[in-house]
Amino acid sequence: MAGIESKCTEPEIDYNVLNSIIVDRYNQNRENLIMMMQAIQKQYRYLPITALRYLSDKVQVPLIKIFEIATFYASFSLKPKGKNIINICTGTACHLKGTGKMVEHITSKVGIKSGETTPDMLLTMDNVNCVGACAVAPVIVFNEKYYPEADLSVINTLLDQAKSE
Amino acid sequence: MQQLKQAAESNVNTPRITSPKALEDYRASLASKYGHDVPTVIICCGTGCRPSNAVEVAELLEKGLAEADFQGKIVPHVKATGCHGFCSRGPIVELEPQGIFYQKVKPKDVPEIIEKTIKGGELIKHLQYKDASKKVFTHTNEIPFYAKQSRLVLKNIGKINPFDIDDAIATGTYGALAKALSSMTPGQIIEEVKTSFIKGRGGAGFPTGIKWESCASQIGNRYIICNADEGDPGAFMDRSLLEGDPHRILEGMAIAAKAIGSNRGYIYVRLEYPLAIQTLTQAIQQAEAMGLLGDNIMGTGFNFKVSLSMGAGAFVCGESSALMSSLEGKVGRPRPKYIRSVEKGFRDSPSNLNNVETYANIPDIILKGGEWYKSIGTKESTGTKVFSLTGNVHNIGLVEVPMGVPLREIIFDIGGGVPKKRAFKAVQTGGPSGGCIPAQHLDIPVSFESLDQVGSIMGSGGMIVMDENICMVEVARYFTHFLVEESCGQCTPCREGLIRMEEILERITHGEGREEDPDTLEEIGKFVTNFSLCGLGTSAANPVLSTIRHFREEYETHIRHKKCPAGVCKPLYSLKIDEEKCVGCGICKKRCPVNAITGDKKKPHVLEIEKCIKCMECHKNCDFAAVIVL
Ligand SMILES: Cc1cc2nc3c(=O)[nH]c(=O)nc-3n(C[C@H](O)[C@H](O)[C@H](O)COP(=O)(O)O)c2cc1C
Ligand code: FES
Ligand code: FES
């Protein structure tokens, strides 16, 4: 994990916030570990190592187990995410309507694959398997806003928007 | 978000229900507000309609109606509901009690709806549903998509405000729980469910009554768990139920708890369903506040508390033992099957896990009886099933039909067939572990048994229609890739076998297939099926095996002739514009992201294949089928 630690500039960790998640909301109960990690990720947009160390101590679960969870579940990220996040739905209904080509298009245009972030930290592409809006496939989600029946021109607009911010 | 506030406020005055009789009295008192004849403007605010500004339409309707002058007539109230199951036509607006159906309603249509239809009684043509032959339909129940369905599980969805418990109670929800708590023993409940012969809707199709009975016979703390992980990408039955009628699911779980002898329940919802999480959270709060969940339910001394738990994006966590391990806050790795979770599940205690739709069926079974339920569907597969019909089909949406209805009826009568005059090729059922069924089997009745016979499975109800432009080898590659990513990696057949299969499929789709590949795929596939640890592995080869079984010649065309007839595998086809067919409308030129198409208006266009990236935008959007695959 040394690599991950050294590359990212850790955000300031607010231990009051961590306590409010771990202690107040989830009672330090290790059964709620996954939801605590989701709350931490929501706060920092990824899982900062310092926060995980603190979590490990608070719930008395070895750090390695926490890393196991962080790497097993697709929604967790140990790397900081970009300012904008684009999720292309690669579920079956969307795949058949061409989202695979959209992913390729983004890769060729801005040089990131799924799960990667542009070096300027402006855009992360994180693909998801179905957001439940399959009836309006292909669906893309940009900064939590859904774009139904999307096409390449929608993507181009969103990429421009991400760059300009 | 207006609706959220409303419901929360109205809840302040809702009473605590202290007996089953009090529930009946309370329900009767709600009729004037929620009855069928109360003028209401319904607007769908489900996950499918929200991206197309449904919430804005709802707010504008509310504002517009408040400001309009109705000259003493009753002002209809606005109700935001969950998913009507017809999201491809969303946002959907319905006017009750007339039953008028409007589709694709935009914020700018709102003033016209209020002035013309609500005040003037006049229909607005451009908002009405038209079928493929341009026939116009006025009422919801006449539209073939709805008319041919039997909506039992979905009956409240799109009718009630899911954030308002009173609306659910007015339709009869919690009545079955009242009956179960006041006049049935646990044994009688289980007997009724056994008589109904309902099989689990989550995929494996295990008889629910038998599962309940064996869990009830265990000693110790028992848990009731609802599987709302809906991992099948491309299916949204459970999402729609959770968002549209959460109390029905809670009621089903509470009845299970009474039958099995449990006081603790969990719902495991996938993270990708934020609206479902919101709806459920509020539903649980409201039901507890009214004494319909929690301690001393309806004054009967029965306690049952339900909590929500969120997944974190792992398909395998839909498998029962993996789900329970994830509920405990661990990684979700399945256990070997010989440890049965009804004996030793969550926290090593007896646990009953059912799918969302299974629980949603329970209240009606209790109210109307197992015999009634058994009279619907086929002998071996009773009741109805909700399918999520997507892909290349005219009417995309949720379809509930009795078991035993032929596939053809679902796809062609309800679904309206394949659009753009293209040919039907296959229907994929059962999600990533399912199979592709070709046209010659379209007349088989849908049931657990018959789908199994043609090499597919019922699964949880995903049904994806594929037209002639879908490549079966690529579909097999897609699902195999999905399963490679989602395999938990514990057992070798699944972890390694799937990777090898994906490699071979990759090779074939890149034009490097070898003559022996289909046979090798079958050999590995059978090995993975027979020797994997959990349900993911034992069904993972289905997509490959079923496509080889039904579409072997397509594999052979890829391998021998290095051609992809469907025009999907990029290295294996070329594109051309047919001069005879091209009318020069210019759509393709506009759509092309790399300017590979040139030509003047009204003259045949030309595609420069060197520039072409084969994104297929031109092919997809040509109304004259002038872009051809070579
Ligand atoms: C890999 C895998 C994924 C599964 N995903 C789901 C799912 O998303 N939802 C579900 O209800 N059942 C899923 N199941 C089936 C469950 O293991 C279990 O059989 C079911 O939830 C039991 O409920 P039922 O008897 O009501 O069908 C999955 C099974 C496997 C092997
Ligand atoms: S497959 Fe994309 S939303 Fe379901
Ligand atoms: S979300 Fe509106 S119909 Fe499905």
Side-chain angles (χ1 to χ4, degrees):
Chain A
M1 286 303 128
I4 290 170
E5 254 177 289
S6 57
K7 242 184 268 164
C8 62
T9 44
E10 280 252 340
E12 191 84 28
I13 302 291
D14 182 341
Y15 291 93
N16 284 329
V17 170
L18 287 186
N19 274 337
S20 76
I21 293 170
I22 302 168
V23 185
D24 304 343
R25 198 172 338 155
Y26 293 111
N27 299 320
Q28 281 170 280
N29 179 350
R30 59 177 76 167
E31 272 184 2
N32 293 330
L33 198 55
I34 296 173
M35 286 189 281
M36 292 179 204
M37 289 166 68
Q38 276 162 358
I40 294 172
Q41 173 150 309
K42 195 156 191 149
Q43 179 74 26
Y44 298 105
R45 298 156 61 79
Y46 81 111
L47 295 170
I49 174 79
T50 317
L52 294 185
R53 281 216 179 92
Y54 187 70
L55 175 68
S56 155
D57 191 52
K58 276 284 183 196
V59 293
Q60 288 294 300
V61 170
L63 190 59
I64 186 151
K65 285 276 167 204
I66 293 185
F67 271 118
E68 189 188 19
I69 292 174
T71 50
F72 182 87
Y73 292 99
S75 66
F76 291 126
S77 171
L78 291 165
K79 284 183 275 180
K81 298 206 174 173
K83 200 164 164 220
N84 301 286
I85 298 179
I86 191 164
N87 311 110
I88 311 281
C89 175
T90 49
T92 319
C94 292
H95 173 77
L96 290 181
K97 301 232 160 144
T99 50
K101 295 201 172 92
M102 296 181 181
V103 175
E104 282 172 25
H105 179 74
I106 294 179
T107 304
S108 75
K109 228 178 143 172
V110 288
I112 48 170
K113 294 205 190 81
S114 179
E116 294 179 352
T117 303
T118 51
D120 56 11
M121 296 303 285
L122 283 180
L123 183 72
T124 299
M125 170 159 67
D126 257 338
N127 297 338
V128 287
N129 288 319
C130 189
V131 293
C134 331
V136 286
V139 183
I140 56 184
V141 185
F142 183 74
N143 296 339
E144 297 186 5
K145 185 173 174 343
Y146 289 52
Y147 292 81
E149 294 172 5
D151 56 19
L152 289 184
S153 69
V154 173
I155 292 194
N156 285 341
T157 318
L158 294 177
L159 290 181
D160 288 344
Q161 203 176 314
K163 234 187 312 180
S164 69
E165 272 167 24
Chain B
M1 296 295 102
Q2 202 84 359
Q3 302 292 323
L4 252 170
K5 267 188 253 144
Q6 249 179 24
E9 274 159 24
S10 72
N11 216 33
V12 176
N13 317 318
T14 44
R16 203 176 157 85
I17 304 290
T18 50
S19 70
K21 167 79 173 53
L23 179 71
E24 276 321 302
D25 295 343
Y26 185 61
R27 182 189 327 288
S29 77
L30 295 173
S32 62
K33 187 167 168 210
Y34 296 99
H36 285 305
D37 41 3
V38 181
T40 310
V41 184
I42 287 175
I43 159 97
C44 176
C45 286
T47 292
C49 288
R50 278 176 187 240
S52 321
N53 304 320
V55 176
E56 196 185 338
V57 173
E59 283 165 359
L60 286 174
L61 275 167
E62 207 153 53
K63 191 158 161 270
L65 285 173
E67 285 166 2
D69 179 10
F70 276 82
Q71 290 162 342
K73 277 197 288 181
I74 311 172
V75 184
H77 66 266
V78 179
K79 187 192 301 197
T81 67
C83 172
H84 293 220
F86 207 11
C87 327
S88 54
R89 303 295 169 143
I92 290 168
V93 169
E94 281 183 281
L95 305 176
E96 297 291 1
Q98 308 92 319
I100 294 169
F101 180 93
Y102 283 155
Q103 63 170 21
K104 304 204 173 201
V105 176
K106 297 192 184 62
K108 70 170 169 45
D109 298 323
V110 171
E112 199 181 356
I113 295 179
I114 294 177
E115 277 312 310
K116 280 203 182 143
T117 313
I118 300 178
K119 287 171 83 177
E122 197 187 316
L123 293 170
I124 303 168
K125 233 194 158 131
H126 71 96
L127 295 176
Q128 288 184 288
Y129 173 83
K130 294 160 208 78
D131 67 5
S133 65
K134 298 267 180 317
K135 184 172 167 208
V136 178
F137 293 83
T138 304
H139 301 105
T140 312
N141 55 12
E142 295 159 359
I143 296 172
F145 177 78
Y146 287 112
K148 296 203 167 130
Q149 298 194 35
S150 317
R151 292 196 157 206
L152 301 179
V153 173
L154 299 179
K155 79 177 161 218
N156 282 346
I157 298 186
K159 302 261 182 299
I160 62 168
N161 174 356
F163 288 106
D164 182 1
I165 190 170
D166 283 353
D167 208 352
I169 293 177
T171 65
T173 310
Y174 291 110
L177 178 61
K179 179 177 174 188
L181 293 182
S182 61
S183 65
M184 291 172 91
T185 62
Q188 284 170 329
I189 302 175
I190 292 181
E191 230 16 77
E192 208 62 75
V193 176
K194 276 174 77 181
T195 306
S196 76
F197 203 48
I198 180 175
K199 292 179 173 171
R201 298 319 197 215
F206 190 81
T208 305
I210 297 176
K211 196 190 267 184
W212 289 20
E213 188 172 52
S214 63
C215 192
S217 70
Q218 304 298 320
I219 306 163
N221 259 343
R222 286 150 230 177
Y223 294 101
I224 300 295
I225 304 170
C226 174
N227 189 343
D229 197 39
E230 190 150 77
D232 174 358
F236 54 102
M237 301 78 48
D238 295 350
R239 189 216 89 209
S240 172
L241 273 163
L242 297 162
E243 283 175 11
D245 197 3
H247 291 287
R248 176 181 296 270
I249 299 154
L250 295 172
E251 185 184 12
M253 289 178 71
I255 294 170
K258 172 69 184 173
I260 293 168
S262 160
N263 57 23
R264 197 73 180 89
Y266 290 87
I267 306 180
Y268 186 87
V269 198
R270 69 193 300 238
L271 189 66
E272 291 85 350
Y273 288 176
L275 185 60
I277 294 170
Q278 236 180 57
T279 328
L280 275 172
T281 309
Q282 174 133 346
I284 294 171
Q285 271 170 15
Q286 291 184 342
E288 280 187 355
M290 289 186 73
L292 297 169
L293 280 183
D295 290 335
N296 193 14
I297 296 176
M298 296 188 223
T300 60
F302 173 65
N303 306 329
F304 182 57
K305 191 170 162 40
V306 180
S307 314
L308 270 188
S309 190
M310 265 81 86
F315 173 69
V316 75
C317 285
E319 196 273 345
S320 51
S321 60
L323 184 148
M324 293 180 196
S325 152
S326 181
L327 267 184
E328 292 169 7
K330 303 182 188 142
V331 294
R333 288 204 192 94
R335 295 183 312 200
K337 274 278 171 211
Y338 62 83
I339 313 170
R340 294 172 54 220
S341 47
V342 287
E343 290 166 15
K344 210 167 174 264
F346 178 55
R347 297 180 180 157
D348 281 340
S349 297
S351 308
N352 180 76
L353 174 80
N354 281 120
N355 166 261
V356 170
E357 194 184 331
T358 313
Y359 284 122
N361 269 295
I362 299 299
D364 271 355
I365 294 177
I366 297 303
L367 276 184
K368 302 182 189 167
E371 285 296 336
W372 162 80
Y373 193 81
K374 213 166 70 175
S375 70
I376 306 163
T378 68
K379 190 160 166 288
E380 288 298 315
S381 301
T382 60
T384 59
K385 177 78 195 89
V386 185
F387 293 98
S388 105
L389 188 64
T390 59
N392 306 120
V393 60
H394 203 78
N395 299 326
I396 295 176
L398 286 189
V399 174
E400 183 177 354
V401 288
M403 293 272 194
V405 161
L407 276 173
R408 186 184 301 281
E409 201 172 310
I410 300 178
I411 298 166
F412 289 89
D413 297 351
I414 298 175
V418 179
K420 298 195 182 164
K421 300 198 180 83
R422 290 186 184 146
F424 170 90
K425 184 162 180 180
V427 54
Q428 204 276 347
T429 67
S433 349
C436 293
I437 304 170
Q440 75 256 30
H441 293 305
L442 271 180
D443 290 307
I444 61 160
V446 285
S447 67
F448 289 102
E449 302 72 37
S450 57
L451 291 176
D452 201 45
Q453 275 162 23
V454 292
S456 186
I457 56 167
M458 169 86 77
S460 57
M463 194 175 268
I464 298 172
V465 180
M466 302 178 178
D467 69 13
E468 56 190 317
N469 291 332
I470 307 284
C471 168
M472 290 297 131
V473 187
E474 211 289 321
V475 166
R477 186 212 57 81
Y478 167 78
F479 283 122
T480 310
H481 174 74
F482 176 89
L483 292 161
V484 165
E485 301 250 297
E486 297 297 335
S487 166
C488 79
Q490 275 184 103
C491 73
T492 320
C494 171
R495 185 188 62 235
E496 298 300 321
L498 287 174
I499 292 178
R500 295 291 94 82
M501 286 168 81
E502 191 193 0
E503 277 170 11
I504 297 176
L505 292 162
E506 275 286 340
R507 219 176 46 221
I508 301 177
T509 54
H510 280 91
E512 291 150 23
R514 301 177 197 147
E515 196 58 35
E516 70 277 10
D517 280 346
D519 292 339
T520 316
L521 281 171
E522 280 187 322
E523 193 187 330
I524 307 178
K526 283 180 192 147
F527 186 80
V528 173
T529 307
N530 291 330
F531 299 107
S532 292
L533 176 85
C534 83
L536 189 149
T538 55
S539 57
N542 277 351
V544 176
L545 296 179
S546 78
T547 46
I548 296 184
R549 172 169 160 191
H550 296 300
F551 298 95
R552 202 178 179 103
E553 53 324 318
E554 196 162 333
Y555 277 83
E556 287 167 357
T557 315
H558 279 72
I559 294 168
R560 289 186 198 147
H561 308 296
K562 310 284 175 230
K563 282 273 165 226
C564 176
V568 174
C569 304
K570 278 190 186 181
L572 302 185
Y573 71 93
S574 177
L575 280 177
K576 200 186 136 192
I577 294 176
D578 187 338
E579 279 174 34
E580 312 247 297
K581 285 192 185 152
C582 180
V583 297
C585 71
I587 293 252
C588 55
K589 192 165 122 183
K590 227 193 274 151
R591 288 273 176 172
C592 182
V594 290
N595 303 324
I597 296 174
T598 48
D600 297 330
K601 256 215 153 352
K602 301 211 171 120
K603 297 232 173 69
H605 283 40
V606 182
L607 188 152
E608 229 179 296
I609 197 70
E610 291 73 30
K611 278 194 190 164
C612 176
I613 56 166
K614 294 184 185 161
C615 71
M616 301 303 267
E617 285 287 314
C618 53
H619 183 259
K620 222 170 37 198
N621 288 296
C622 180
D623 285 332
F624 307 92
V627 183
I628 45 179
V629 173
L630 297 176

